[in-house]
Amino acid sequence: MSPRQARLTVAAAVLGSIVVFVDSTVVNVALPAIADDLGGGLAGQQWLSGAYLLTLGALLLVGGSLGDLHGRRRMFTIGLVAFGVTSILCALAPTIETLVVARALQGAAGALLVPNTLGLIVAKFPRNERGAAIGSWTAWSGIAMVGGPLIGGLIVDSASWRWIFAINVLPVLAALAIVRQVDAEHDTPSAGRVDVVGAVLGTLGLAGPVFALIEQPQLGWGHPVIVVTLVGGLALLAAFIGYERRAPHPMLPLALFAQRNFAVGNASTLAVYGGLGASPFFLVLFLQQVGGYNALEAGLATLPVTIIMFLLSRRFGALADRWGPRLFMGAGPVVAGAGIALFARIDASADYPSQVLPAIVVFGFGLSLTVAPLTATVLGGVPESQAGMASAINNAVARIGSLLAIAAIGAVVASQLGGSGTSFASVATGTAEHAFHVAVLVTGALVAIGGVLSALGIENPKRDVCAADCPGGAVVGASREVETVHA
């Protein structure tokens, strides 16, 4: 492959992933402004995050399968167009309900993009050059995770929340212009088919419990709608597992979970990334609606977490390679959970140096201990030929963890606030503080459970995967081992 084709491929993949990863974080700082404009209360804010995570997480494996069957370049292009169109729909949404629907469609478009950004690199680059290309993709995707809340805060404070969605059109157009110049060499469609039944069962199965958790504070657990969606969703999830066991082309190969480290690592991922999604969600809301922060200040508040992870994750990954991952995966989530619990010290003043920053630092340190060993252990727990699928599953589990945690902990918060139609801003300061403290204590306990699971269940990997090469963890969902996909 020519140097020009190499640069074009990486540039297109980076732009495609940036819009997806930024939109998974940028909306948090805009939630108060959206609620002021369109209403919806806490339930509406949960749906704006949850609808996106639901379709993104549930359909990631389907997006990868479509790329395998029809070509990564083609599916990547379709995903870009769809993401641009749905972003415009989000920007123009007249009501909270239409915005939630647009966010769900945007997540589905993201599910086409994420696996095929990486798949495009794997298809185009020879084996000896993939590591560097994937490293560039991972680094820029990580930068996008940092920049999302900051850019979002600037836009919300200086213009309108609608522009956080409309601005996606610019990188989408740039990526489309670039990918048109990328040739289809080595991007050969493979045989097989998409697991449509599994995708429908899995998506609806997740949607049922999420709907019940978000809406029950307003309707009550005994309401027929809540009972039907909860029980029906759980039944569909059971049907999904049963179907995947016998499906000829399953999107979720359940046999992988027979590998102990893979199963335990994904259980820990569910808990840890549940906390990683829920804690910024509620923190940013509280800082703006009670602490008086503007959108930019709220976005800046969590910046030290990412800085600490950039500085320390690779170092702790290297130590985990030397001493084994169990210690780091056991201690890291406990430390991170303690950091989240320290948010319970925050009162209505939300003083940053004395109340917010110490908790942020402890939380970031704990995550730095955790993410690289966790990702490496999950990948190392399966045969090398299945590392790509293992990474995709772990990526999806991370997003589903955030989805479920925001819904479940949001139900707890709503019960403290007096209903899903309320928010931190609509109740007395003392009530808002109490609800926030309950949220962070529950979230901290959830993350710590991930550490306990790891300490009890993780064994030395059956094959070595360098943890130092997985600093982004499941947030970015890539490591050098992913170069085995489609190889």
Side-chain angles (χ1 to χ4, degrees):
M1 180 172 58
S2 69
R4 180 175 181 272
Q5 282 289 307
R7 290 192 299 270
L8 289 172
T9 301
V10 173
V14 165
L15 285 171
S17 63
I18 279 177
V19 293
V20 179
F21 292 134
V22 165
D23 262 63
S24 67
T25 59
V26 70
V27 75
N28 284 349
V29 299
L31 289 175
I34 295 173
D36 290 342
D37 190 10
L38 302 181
L42 179 62
Q45 293 169 329
Q46 289 175 272
W47 275 120
L48 289 177
S49 179
Y52 183 82
L53 291 171
L54 172 64
T55 51
L56 176 61
L59 299 177
L60 270 175
L61 300 180
V62 175
S65 297
L66 287 171
D68 292 345
L69 295 176
H70 303 291
R72 293 103 196 170
R73 180 176 175 271
R74 176 182 297 176
M75 287 299 107
F76 178 78
T77 302
I78 293 173
L80 280 173
V81 173
F83 203 91
V85 171
T86 53
S87 294
I88 294 173
L89 293 177
C90 289
L92 298 177
T95 66
I96 191 69
E97 292 81 8
T98 54
L99 180 54
V100 168
V101 172
R103 283 284 285 170
L105 294 174
Q106 192 183 37
L112 275 181
L113 273 177
V114 171
N116 289 302
T117 54
L118 187 57
L120 195 64
I121 291 175
V122 171
K124 295 290 293 180
F125 280 83
R127 185 180 296 273
N128 62 340
E129 297 178 12
R130 289 176 192 160
I134 291 173
S136 297
W137 181 84
T138 303
W140 280 104
S141 298
I143 291 171
M145 297 289 290
V146 180
L150 306 185
I151 296 170
L154 282 171
I155 292 173
V156 171
D157 287 341
S158 61
S160 165
W161 63 264
R162 297 182 183 276
W163 282 101
I164 68 171
F165 300 113
I167 201 171
N168 288 336
V169 174
L170 297 179
V172 164
L173 290 176
L176 284 171
I178 293 171
V179 79
R180 287 185 64 184
Q181 302 176 60
V182 175
D183 59 47
E185 186 179 5
H186 305 304
D187 187 14
T188 305
S190 61
R193 64 180 184 178
V194 176
D195 182 11
V196 176
V197 174
V200 171
L201 290 174
T203 303
L204 294 179
L206 285 171
V210 169
F211 180 92
L213 288 168
I214 292 177
E215 297 298 332
Q216 71 79 25
Q218 181 176 346
L219 299 177
W221 284 115
H223 194 282
V225 171
I226 300 300
V227 174
V228 169
T229 54
L230 178 60
V231 175
L234 294 176
L236 287 172
L237 286 176
F240 168 74
I241 293 173
Y243 179 80
E244 294 299 288
R245 287 182 181 276
R246 62 179 188 276
H249 301 282
M251 75 176 199
L252 182 63
L254 295 175
L256 289 177
F257 289 90
Q259 308 292 332
R260 178 169 176 164
N261 275 6
F262 183 80
V264 175
N266 275 293
S268 182
T269 296
L270 193 71
V272 171
Y273 282 90
L276 185 58
S279 54
F281 178 87
F282 293 107
L283 176 64
V284 168
L285 285 179
F286 184 83
L287 292 179
Q288 291 187 73
Q289 294 183 327
V290 179
Y293 287 40
N294 61 32
L296 177 59
E297 290 168 342
L300 285 168
T302 58
L303 180 61
V305 172
T306 310
I307 294 175
I308 292 169
M309 290 182 66
F310 276 168
L311 293 175
L312 298 181
S313 287
R314 189 175 295 274
R315 295 176 183 272
F316 285 129
L319 290 175
D321 291 333
R322 183 184 306 171
W323 297 338
R326 183 177 178 180
L327 171 64
F328 296 87
M329 290 176 61
V334 173
V335 174
I340 295 174
L342 285 175
F343 288 135
R345 298 175 57 248
I346 301 175
D347 57 27
S349 68
D351 182 69
Y352 190 78
S354 65
Q355 296 180 3
V356 181
L357 184 59
I360 288 286
V361 170
V362 175
F363 178 47
F365 184 77
L367 285 180
S368 298
L369 283 166
T370 306
V371 293
L374 175 56
T375 301
T377 300
V378 168
L379 295 179
V382 301
E384 184 172 351
S385 61
Q386 296 176 304
M389 177 59 73
S391 179
I393 292 172
N394 191 235
N395 198 335
V397 167
R399 284 157 175 79
I400 291 169
S402 293
L403 164 70
L404 295 177
I406 290 172
I409 298 171
V412 176
V413 172
S415 69
Q416 301 297 315
L417 294 176
S420 61
T422 59
S423 66
F424 289 126
S426 63
V427 298
T429 299
T431 302
E433 279 186 31
H434 176 71
F436 174 69
H437 293 166
V438 170
V440 295
L441 290 174
V442 173
T443 305
L446 174 66
V447 175
I449 286 171
V452 173
L453 291 173
S454 296
L456 295 176
I458 291 298
E459 297 177 331
N460 288 331
K462 294 181 179 180
R463 65 183 180 88
D464 292 331
V465 174
C466 185
D469 290 338
C470 305
V475 172
V476 174
S479 77
R480 291 181 184 174
E481 286 299 310
V482 185
E483 68 184 53
T484 60
V485 183
H486 314 304

